[in-house]
Amino acid sequence: MAIYFPPLFCGRGTTLKARKEFEVEFDDGDYMTVVSGDKCIVDEIIGYGYNLRKDSSDRDFRVMNSSMPDYFDIVEMVEPEKDLDNYDKTRRDGYVITLLKDFEIKDVVKISKGQQFLHFVDVDKDGIFHDIFSIDGKSRTLRMEESEFKEYF
């Protein structure tokens, strides 16, 4: 089954403003309230989750990429780093491929045929996988198993 990777909300160092009040529980049992209008800073992006710090605090809390638009507006944007850099791949290592038919994960994403992507093959003990990146290499878009890849590309 294909895995879809949505574009990152923002990059490390971005300043955010909370859209609504919410509470964060830390591993040690302490709590912190983030109030609507509070400013937060993106300290780190690990996988598809953000480590954020409230402007007035030294403690980080975590929010997943998919939830960021629900909780934050961007005040000062820093562009995300290119995903290719995070995977130790360069543009020249990949091949440009074209989607042969529409790809859809219901209620998640629909990609129209004819779009081009950078393609990288990843072989490991679990099989052959295909990592599909945006043509500019800024974002990882899909990871597919061999049979799915053959069906769509």
Side-chain angles (χ1 to χ4, degrees):
M1 174 163 198
I3 300 170
Y4 171 66
F5 298 93
L8 290 174
F9 184 71
C10 62
R12 191 173 58 159
T14 296
T15 303
L16 306 166
K17 183 173 76 172
R19 300 182 88 182
K20 58 185 174 184
E21 184 174 314
F22 61 95
E23 194 167 73
V24 176
E25 181 180 4
F26 295 102
D27 291 338
D28 63 5
D30 282 348
Y31 288 88
M32 176 174 61
T33 300
V34 177
V35 180
S36 177
D38 278 352
K39 294 224 171 133
C40 296
I41 308 294
V42 176
D43 278 340
E44 193 66 48
I45 302 170
I46 301 171
Y48 272 75
Y50 290 78
N51 289 350
L52 306 175
R53 177 179 43 82
K54 194 163 115 170
D55 203 23
S56 60
S57 174
D58 292 338
R59 298 194 74 179
D60 282 352
F61 59 95
R62 192 151 172 82
V63 177
M64 296 308 293
N65 185 58
S66 59
S67 299
M68 291 290 284
D70 297 335
Y71 291 95
F72 297 100
D73 291 317
I74 295 173
V75 175
E76 290 180 39
M77 173 72 156
V78 174
E79 286 295 322
E81 295 176 15
K82 292 185 175 187
D83 271 357
L84 281 182
D85 296 340
N86 296 331
Y87 291 95
D88 295 326
K89 296 177 177 163
T90 64
R91 183 176 167 71
R92 70 176 176 274
D93 295 332
Y95 297 95
V96 175
I97 58 172
T98 304
L99 190 61
L100 299 176
K101 66 181 193 177
D102 291 348
F103 175 84
E104 182 177 7
I105 298 176
K106 190 174 174 99
D107 298 327
V108 175
V109 67
K110 183 173 184 174
I111 304 171
S112 301
K113 73 177 181 177
Q115 290 193 41
Q116 292 190 317
F117 298 91
L118 283 178
H119 169 239
F120 299 88
V121 178
D122 180 22
V123 179
D124 66 21
K125 64 178 175 48
D126 295 322
I128 300 172
F129 298 93
H130 300 269
D131 291 319
I132 312 300
F133 286 80
S134 62
I135 199 76
D136 62 5
K138 285 187 177 179
S139 61
R140 185 179 187 197
T141 306
L142 294 168
R143 181 170 173 89
M144 300 176 129
E145 294 177 347
E146 177 78 2
S147 59
E148 287 176 302
F149 178 79
K150 287 181 177 179
E151 180 181 345
Y152 289 96
F153 292 95

